[in-house]
Structure formats: structure tokens, C-alpha cells
Amino acid sequence: MTRLSVQAVTKRFGGVTATGDVSFDVPEKGVTAVIGPNGAGKTTLFSLVSGFLTPDQGRILFDGEDIVGMRPDRLAARGLVRTFQLVQLFPDLTTLDNVKVGQHLQTRSGLLAAVLRPGSTRREEAAVSARARELLALVGLLDVADQPAKVLSYGQQRLLEVARALAAGPRLVLLDEPAAGLDAAESKRLAAVIRTIADQGVTVLLIEHDMSLVMNVADRVVVLDFGRKIAEGAPAEVRAHPAVIAAYLGGVEIADG
């Protein structure tokens, strides 16, 4: 089944076509990666899918529903959540609290319950805390749960963003260059996390420049160049595609790490 369908999507900024007639489907199961050189239109595409931009033409379907024009918060409530190239955490909150904040879409207690603190609210708070710790363990950050986010390394902050996105309970998570700033060990951990996310039933769509990570975790790869799709398929197929080799690597075949 198809989780996301991008259909002939075009977005222009003045005379520049950031994405031109781009179409592809993201299967419900597995990991789909979008790659391409700088300026290929990858982040614009993510912004279109996640509601931060509206396409000039085309349709975007999420679980069969046309979501063009829908606000990002409404999309998140429907199960479509994204991370960003630049880290966007609450620096003075603890690592644990950052993940707990990400669960606000999953909680029911309101202001009155927060003041009166009935048993249902206390149980919900305990469940939120337990789930946050599970997610921190998943990304390898449980040992820094009580530290402020601002003292974490950049790589740790990237992993924390992934955990917070998962806290929202998404059906589709968009990861925008999640390996940026990660060292080799953190990148290896991230690859395992992404596969675990997909194995747990969450659809993953990611933009990434780390080709070793992409080729090892992606089930399908979509390649953009100058805003247009030039290839799509399994990693091995894309890696050897002449247009990809020419446009993305200047004639040097992609290594699989």
C-alpha cells in the first residue's frame, strides 16, 4: 500500500523552478530516501509535503487524502511529522522533557487537570515519561536524559530531534538530513534506529547526504537534480544509473559503504 503519493508537483520561486513535475510514491512499509546534489530541490520537496509550502501545481496524498494547503500542525495531528536541517530543540529543557513535549499530540489532560492533578492525569504523566525514556533508549541518549539539551553534542541533538519526532506517534516521519554532524559511531547508531523505526511500522522518508547510510538503510531511492526527478528505484539500481552518476557524482559511481 502507498503511504504518500507525490503527483506532478511543481513549486516556483520567481523564475526558478525548485521542483518541477515531481512524482513518486512512498510505500507504507520501509524506508524511502530522497537524494541529489545541493540545490536539487530536496528540502523544498519536504516543505511541500509537510505543509510549510504550497505547490503551484500537483497533488500530494497522505493515506489517500489530498493534503495540499493543510497546515503543518494539522498534518502532525494526522500522523505526518518532520525534522529539520537545523536543530530546533528547547535548549534549556532536559533531554527527557524535550521528548515529553513531543508527545503533546498524544495526551488528553488540559489545564484544569494539570492544576487538580486527578489520578488519570498522574497516570498519563507516568506513561508519557515512560514512553520518552523508551525513545531515548532507542536513539542511545537515555544516559543523558536529565541533562539540558543545550549541553549535548550536535550529533546527540540530532538524535534527540529524531526521538522527539517519534514521540508524536507518526505514521510517516520525514527526516531532513538526520546524519548531519554525526560521527561514525552516531551515524551507525542512526542507521540502526531508522531500520528499527521502519520495522515498527512507521513509514520513513529521508533526505540524506551520507550515501553509505542511504545505501544501507533505504529500500527505495528517489534522485532529484535541478528540481526534477532523474531516477527512482532500489539502491543498487540507482547507484549504477548513468544519470545519477553524471549528475550527482560527476561520473564516479556511488559507493555503498
Side-chain angles (χ1 to χ4, degrees), residues 16-52:
V16 177
T17 299
T19 59
D21 197 33
V22 173
S23 297
F24 64 92
D25 290 336
V26 176
E28 179 181 329
K29 295 182 179 180
V31 179
T32 301
V34 178
I35 67 172
N38 289 332
K42 304 183 298 296
T43 295
T44 297
L45 176 65
F46 258 35
S47 293
L48 292 167
V49 170
S50 56
F52 288 88

Side-chain angles (χ1 to χ4, degrees), residues 40 81 90 96 130 221 239:
V81 178
F90 297 99
L96 180 67
V221 180
R239 186 169 62 238

Side-chain angles (χ1 to χ4, degrees), residues 82-93 95 98 141 148-165 176-182 186:
R82 74 169 288 185
T83 65
F84 295 84
Q85 283 183 324
L86 300 177
V87 174
Q88 298 188 5
L89 300 172
F90 297 99
D92 293 320
L93 293 183
T95 302
N98 266 276
L141 296 178
K150 64 185 177 184
V151 307
L152 303 184
S153 70
Y154 184 75
Q156 289 176 316
Q157 290 180 1
R158 300 294 311 203
L159 292 169
L160 177 55
E161 276 217 313
V162 173
R164 189 175 64 177
D176 193 347
E177 297 193 26
L182 271 60
E186 290 168 335

